[in-house]
């Protein structure tokens, strides 16, 4: 009995990749695609860590001698979100112009600015507030590069693997938020090897704190990311000028998916940035109040892991159903949280934390679903632009949440969030997830 083997695919991919087409095995290099994914994801994780560096440091600034008001702290933590949103509007156009290799190397190099800057100012309590604001804005570079990285990655993989690739990259990249919020409380407790010249600060209790380590600890890894990008990445020949990329704005699904992604990632990023300050301001006056830095990382880590794990499932079952379920779950989570924002006892903190974790968990599902949907809804080049644009608008999440919390109570804010989640979940159901939907994906 003879065994019939499938025909061997003969590669016709040209050395300069000029005929690159991932939808056909003979014009696609899977090793290059996956290598690019892992290197860009490594850089993106560092970028998200830089983006949320301020949220990890800000709650401790007054402890070491700064004299910043509540509104000033909210502004410091919110400004990286404003910067990331504005910068994403630039980065979204760069993949077809610069190419992946230059884009990733340049983006990684720019991360050194906020990391070195916060290393220095955390040791000088006389630093003017405007300098702190400028460095907070610079931290947004890490979030801004997301629109370029994700759009670039969408060019490397066939549609059948888009959910897995984009889910892994975004999910593991989002893990940078939890990484810096988890790492900072630990590394500020001792001097890093080889940096003895950087003397520690003293907190309000007279204990030594190496708060500058929050920016310092990731610098060697950023340098590694720059080297890897220059040595190992290539440019896939998908080119378009600025004007050609504007055609995404004539498609109604660009605007629908923008609203949905603002719900999912906008809430994820905004609450990840502000959770520490929300804990401090809502529960900080109670005896035995919870330490904001001990809990701020939990939600972002949960959301990032769910997003990464859901990518393959979206490839199998479609992204729309995950977007719908994620939105519904976020509506439930925001509603639950409302009941624990005017506490009479610190014992209510467990209910608050539960509501927040529900929000982050389901945001991971919705984030994974949306990024599977867009490569299916749009043609290849437009998909990259749509991914970049929706990501740019959602990156304003930390700024929107921060500014909202300076002008309204947390209770009012979360009620508004719940209503917005219901609206966007309805859009996801009508246009994409319901039986007979006009654009199932």
């Amino acid at each position: 009995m003879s065994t019939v083997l499938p025909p061997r695919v003969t590669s016709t991919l040209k050395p300069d990749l000029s005929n690159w087409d991932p939808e056909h095995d003979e014009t696609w290099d899977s090793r290059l695609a996956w290598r690019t994914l892992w290197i860009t994801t490594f850089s993106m994780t560092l970028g998200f860590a830089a983006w949320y560096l301020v949220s990890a440091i800000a709650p401790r600034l007054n402890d070491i001698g700064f004299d910043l008001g509540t509104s000033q702290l909210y502004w410091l933590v919110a400004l990286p979100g404003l910067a990331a949103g504005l910068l994403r509007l630039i980065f979204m156009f760069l993949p077809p112009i610069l190419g992946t290799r230059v884009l990733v190397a340049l983006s990684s190099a720019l991360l050194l600015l906020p990391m070195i800057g916060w290393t220095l100012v955390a040791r000088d309590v006389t630093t003017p507030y405007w300098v702190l604001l400028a460095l907070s804005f610079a931290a947004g570079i890490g979030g801004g590069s997301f629109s370029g990285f994700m759009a670039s990655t969408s060019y490397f993989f066939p549609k059948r693997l888009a959910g897995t690739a984009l889910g892994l990259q975004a999910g593991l990249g989002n893990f940078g938020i939890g990484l810096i919020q988890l790492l900072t409380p630990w590394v500020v407790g001792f001097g890093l090897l080889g940096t003895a010249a950087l003397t520690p600060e003293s907190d309000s209790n007279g204990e030594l704190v190496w708060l500058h380590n929050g920016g310092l600890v990731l610098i060697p890894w950023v340098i590694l990311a720059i080297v890897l990008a220059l040595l190992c990445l290539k440019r896939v020949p998908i080119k378009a000028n600025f004007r050609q990329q504007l055609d995404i704005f004539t498609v109604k699904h660009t605007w629908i998916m923008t609203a949905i992604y603002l719900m999912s990632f906008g809430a994820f990023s905004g609450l990840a940035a502000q959770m520490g300050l929300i804990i401090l301001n809502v529960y900080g006056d109670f005896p035995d109040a919870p330490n904001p830095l001990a809990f701020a990382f939990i939600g972002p880590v949960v959301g990032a892991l769910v997003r990464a794990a859901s990518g393959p499932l979206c490839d199998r079952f479609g992204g729309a159903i995950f977007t719908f379920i994620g939105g519904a779950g976020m509506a439930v989570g925001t509603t639950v949280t409302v009941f624990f924002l005017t506490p009479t006892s610190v014992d209510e903190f467990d209910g608050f934390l539960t509501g927040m974790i529900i929000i982050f968990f389901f945001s991971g599902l919705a984030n994974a679903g949306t990024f599977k949907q867009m490569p299916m809804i749009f043609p290849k080049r437009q998909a990259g632009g749509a991914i970049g644009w929706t990501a740019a608008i959602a990156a304003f999440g930390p700024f929107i949440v921060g500014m909202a919390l300076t002008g309204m109570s947390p209770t009012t804010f979360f009620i508004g969030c719940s209503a917005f989640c219901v609206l966007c979940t309805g859009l996801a159901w009508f246009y994409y997830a319901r039986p007979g939907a006009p654009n199932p994906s």
Side-chain angles (χ1 to χ4, degrees):
M1 180 177 179
S2 61
T3 301
V4 179
L5 298 175
R8 181 180 179 182
V9 176
T10 301
S11 175
T12 58
L13 182 62
K14 297 179 180 179
D16 63 355
L17 307 182
S18 58
N19 62 334
W20 178 271
D21 183 358
E23 300 303 331
H24 302 90
D25 288 343
E26 63 273 15
T27 54
W28 180 52
D29 184 344
S30 63
R31 289 179 297 178
L32 173 61
W34 286 105
R35 181 171 73 239
T36 302
L37 175 69
W38 297 127
I39 293 173
T40 54
T41 299
F42 175 61
S43 179
M44 184 186 293
T45 302
L46 296 171
F48 270 76
W51 188 16
Y52 280 75
L53 174 63
V54 185
S55 72
I57 291 177
R60 299 294 301 273
L61 288 176
N62 285 345
D63 289 345
I64 63 170
F66 284 88
D67 184 21
L68 302 173
T70 299
S71 178
Q72 288 178 306
L73 288 173
Y74 272 131
W75 264 101
L76 282 181
V77 177
L79 203 56
L82 174 64
L86 294 174
L87 292 171
R88 284 187 182 190
L89 295 174
I90 298 172
F91 273 97
M92 64 176 284
F93 294 106
L94 296 184
I97 297 173
L98 295 181
T100 299
R101 180 172 175 266
V102 173
L103 175 66
V104 176
L106 176 62
S107 301
S108 300
L110 290 174
L111 297 179
L112 294 174
L113 179 60
M115 290 182 178
I116 294 173
W118 279 101
T119 298
L120 297 176
V121 302
R123 303 183 66 252
D124 183 4
V125 298
T126 66
T127 302
Y129 184 60
W130 70 266
V131 175
L132 300 182
L133 289 174
L135 288 174
S136 289
F137 190 92
I141 294 169
S145 63
F146 179 89
S147 282
F149 284 20
M150 295 295 285
S152 172
T153 297
S154 71
Y155 301 146
F156 279 85
F157 287 88
K159 290 183 177 181
R160 61 184 174 83
L161 294 175
T164 298
L166 295 176
L168 283 172
Q169 184 167 60
L172 296 178
N174 291 170
F175 184 72
I177 300 173
L179 174 66
I180 195 65
Q181 293 177 336
L182 175 63
L183 195 62
T184 299
W186 176 56
V187 299
V188 300
F190 56 88
L192 293 177
L193 182 65
T195 63
L198 299 178
T199 56
E201 304 79 46
S202 296
D203 66 13
S204 54
N205 297 320
E207 297 180 358
L208 297 181
V209 180
W210 287 260
L211 194 60
H212 59 267
N213 283 353
L216 184 63
V217 66
L218 295 178
I219 291 176
W221 302 105
V222 170
I223 295 173
L224 175 60
I226 297 169
V227 173
L228 288 174
L230 292 174
L231 295 181
C232 302
L233 298 185
K234 292 185 178 182
R235 173 178 186 145
V236 169
I238 294 180
K239 299 181 180 180
N241 60 36
F242 176 81
R243 178 175 294 180
Q244 289 172 323
Q245 296 181 69
L246 295 178
D247 60 357
I248 62 170
F249 299 117
T250 63
V251 182
K252 72 176 181 180
H253 295 289
T254 299
W255 304 104
I256 296 171
M257 294 304 297
T258 298
I260 292 173
Y261 197 59
L262 180 60
M263 170 197 70
S264 59
F265 184 77
F268 170 85
S269 62
L271 292 175
Q274 301 293 342
M275 186 171 174
L277 289 179
I278 294 173
I279 294 172
L280 181 66
N281 292 325
V282 174
Y283 287 90
D285 291 335
F286 290 108
D288 299 321
N291 178 4
L293 296 184
F295 294 95
F297 75 93
I298 297 175
V301 169
V302 169
L305 292 177
V306 170
R307 182 172 190 170
S310 300
L313 297 176
C314 291
D315 279 335
R316 182 173 181 180
F317 299 107
I321 189 63
F322 285 88
T323 302
F324 171 72
I325 294 173
M330 291 182 69
V332 171
T334 49
T335 302
V336 169
T337 305
V338 167
F339 293 97
F340 300 97
L341 293 172
T342 53
T344 57
S345 165
V346 74
D347 294 335
E348 296 181 49
F349 179 73
D350 288 343
F352 166 82
L353 187 61
T354 298
M356 294 296 290
I357 291 176
I358 291 173
I359 296 171
F360 282 110
F361 179 91
F362 283 99
S363 73
L365 292 180
N367 284 329
T370 53
F371 269 67
K372 171 61 180 179
Q373 287 182 263
M374 284 184 277
M376 306 301 293
I377 295 172
F378 300 92
K380 177 68 71 175
R381 180 184 60 76
Q382 282 191 336
I387 288 170
W389 167 257
T390 57
I393 300 304
F396 286 109
F399 180 74
I400 294 171
V401 174
M403 291 301 94
L405 289 171
T406 63
M408 65 181 71
S409 70
T411 300
T412 302
F413 171 75
F414 274 86
I415 290 173
C417 279
S418 182
F420 185 62
C421 288
V422 170
L423 171 63
C424 293
T425 301
L427 290 174
W429 173 256
F430 180 80
Y431 283 101
Y432 309 115
R434 67 181 172 86
N439 291 90
S441 51

